[in-house]
Amino acid sequence: MDLSRTPTRRWLSPVPWGFALLAAASSLTYGGDHAVNAWASTNLANMGDHPVEALIASAFLFGADPWACLRGIALAGAMLAFLVIRFGNMRAVALIAAGQVLGTLVSEGLLAARIAAGQADPALRVTLDVGPSYVIVAAMAAVVAAGARRWHRWTALAALAVRAPHITSGLTTLGVTPVGHVTALSTGMLLAWRLRSSDARHRYLHRLTSRAAPLQRLDGTGSG
């Protein structure tokens, strides 16, 4: 299949639109609720108590500022739409989920190790850490690596370049958020490359099979 000519109907996929609508509803309703944000935070305390719930809920809380929330949702929705066009619904969801999970596990795992070694304040175990930034960064990196169309890739690259100072701020001090961002970015890019390579291999094998089929039919006819 020529992925650069994916049907327009994929723009109506439930993944980007469902994510955008749920994120808007969650953020505008609970973005300013401290108790909800504290429960959804992907910090060490919550990861030891309710990790699955925190990982999911955190990705849908964009904050209390409605305009910043809507800008973030628009960016996330666009990147998810590009991913669905390239890889389909299930693989797009798997890719961003991997970015969220690995970004959290690596960054919080490193923090836990630093606390155990006496290199970080134990109070950081309950730091407020919510938002879909790992999801967005993983999606942008994946689109840059394997977007279906050139303008998808350039759009994602521009967005990634604009956010680069924020993504990497604090990385030299091993801050939780920048470590998570870099992990999510690497995850999105590597998985996208792997999926792209797998698709290319399948297309190549399909072409070989298609070319061999007429020859097999001719051989069958000649031997009859």
Side-chain angles (χ1 to χ4, degrees):
M1 179 178 64
D2 183 356
L3 292 171
S4 66
R5 298 180 179 179
T6 304
T8 305
R9 61 186 175 80
R10 281 200 173 184
W11 283 104
L12 302 178
S13 164
V15 171
W17 290 103
F19 180 87
L21 291 174
L22 186 54
S26 301
S27 298
L28 295 177
T29 304
Y30 299 109
D33 190 318
H34 179 74
V36 172
N37 281 266
W39 178 84
S41 177
T42 51
N43 54 35
L44 285 173
N46 287 345
M47 293 302 291
D49 182 63
H50 51 276
V52 176
E53 295 90 337
L55 282 166
I56 295 173
S58 175
F60 292 93
L61 291 171
F62 281 72
D65 183 346
W67 291 113
C69 166
L70 292 176
R71 287 196 301 270
I73 289 172
L75 176 61
M79 292 301 112
L80 284 175
F82 293 161
L83 273 188
V84 169
I85 288 171
R86 180 60 177 85
F87 294 122
N89 289 308
M90 297 305 295
R91 292 195 295 176
V93 170
L95 196 151
I96 61 171
Q100 172 76 344
V101 171
L102 291 178
T104 300
L105 292 181
V106 170
S107 59
E108 294 295 339
L110 179 59
L111 175 61
R114 294 180 64 221
I115 291 174
Q119 298 174 358
D121 187 348
L124 294 176
R125 291 181 56 85
V126 293
T127 300
L128 188 65
D129 186 12
V130 296
S133 59
Y134 297 166
V135 167
I136 295 174
V137 168
M140 287 192 295
V143 175
V144 169
R149 297 184 179 182
R150 183 175 300 174
W151 73 270
H152 293 182
R153 298 191 294 273
W154 281 109
T155 300
L157 182 61
L160 195 57
V162 169
R163 293 177 65 90
H166 169 70
I167 289 171
T168 58
S169 177
L171 183 61
T172 56
T173 59
L174 299 180
V176 169
T177 301
V179 169
H181 281 152
V182 172
T183 302
L185 186 151
S186 302
T187 299
M189 189 163 288
L190 290 173
L191 287 180
W193 276 337
R194 185 174 181 83
L195 290 173
R196 184 179 65 179
S197 298
S198 177
D199 286 344
R201 184 166 58 253
H202 288 159
R203 289 196 299 273
Y204 175 71
L205 292 175
H206 177 71
R207 285 197 298 269
L208 287 181
T209 304
S210 299
R211 292 171 182 173
L215 296 177
Q216 290 174 350
R217 285 197 296 270
L218 288 174
D219 290 343
T221 302
S223 62

